[in-house]
Structures are given as C-alpha cells and as structure tokens.
Amino acid sequence: MAEFFGVLGDPNRWRILSALAMGEHRVRDLAAAVDMSESAVSHQLRILRTMRLVSYRKRGRNVFYCLKDDHIFNLYREASEHLDEPPEVE
C-alpha cells in the first residue's frame, strides 16, 4: 500500500490522473494537457499501468489511456474533494 500511495505522491502523475479523470486521452493530448513531453508522459503512464491505475485501448494506430476502473476514479474524486474542503478552525 505504501508503494501505491507513493506513486500517487508524484505531482506529474497526479496531473495525468486528473486529466484522465475527465476522459480518455492519447499520449499526445495528455502531454499538451499537463505541459510535459510525450516521452515523459509515456514514462509516467508505464508506472501508472504497473500499479493498475490506468489502462489503455488501441484503435488503429492510436492508443487511448483512461483510469483503470471506478475504484481509481472514486479514489481520485474523494482525494480531490477532501483537499478542496476548507480547513477547520480550532
């Protein structure tokens, strides 16, 4: 579990997951969305695939990436909502 959350701790991977939470993308589109090179995005996607956070499908010459399943989307959504909550005043 520590390795899983360690993977999520990388800001670039989190930005990629954020883009994928909106829908599937090709590497080229992800690179533009997160302002990274296609090579860097591909490297991060390999790590995310290894941890079963993202999956892909091929359509002709295009490869489309998406969040692996609803568990990952829900994890992303819950973390985002938690971080958007105002801090408690003591």
Side-chain angles (χ1 to χ4, degrees):
M1 196 175 289
E3 183 180 6
F4 177 84
F5 282 104
V7 166
L8 291 176
D10 181 89
N12 291 322
R13 291 184 208 124
W14 192 252
R15 292 184 337 184
I16 290 169
L17 291 175
S18 295
L20 292 175
M22 302 301 148
E24 66 180 13
H25 294 284
R26 297 177 300 170
V27 170
R28 176 183 313 157
D29 302 327
L30 279 172
V34 299
D35 195 28
M36 293 172 61
S37 70
E38 290 181 32
S39 174
V41 168
S42 292
H43 174 72
Q44 297 302 330
L45 286 168
R46 275 191 298 279
I47 294 168
L48 293 168
R49 277 185 22 225
T50 299
M51 294 305 294
R52 297 180 299 151
L53 293 165
V54 300
S55 62
Y56 67 94
R57 69 177 178 88
K58 292 183 179 182
R59 186 170 182 212
R61 294 178 47 133
N62 291 306
V63 179
F64 295 89
Y65 287 87
C66 62
L67 297 181
K68 178 74 174 168
D69 55 31
D70 287 340
H71 295 113
I72 304 307
F73 178 77
N74 291 336
L75 177 68
Y76 169 81
R77 187 189 70 228
E78 291 291 330
S80 295
E81 288 176 4
H82 174 72
L83 293 172
D84 286 342
E85 291 176 356
E88 293 182 13
V89 179
E90 293 184 26

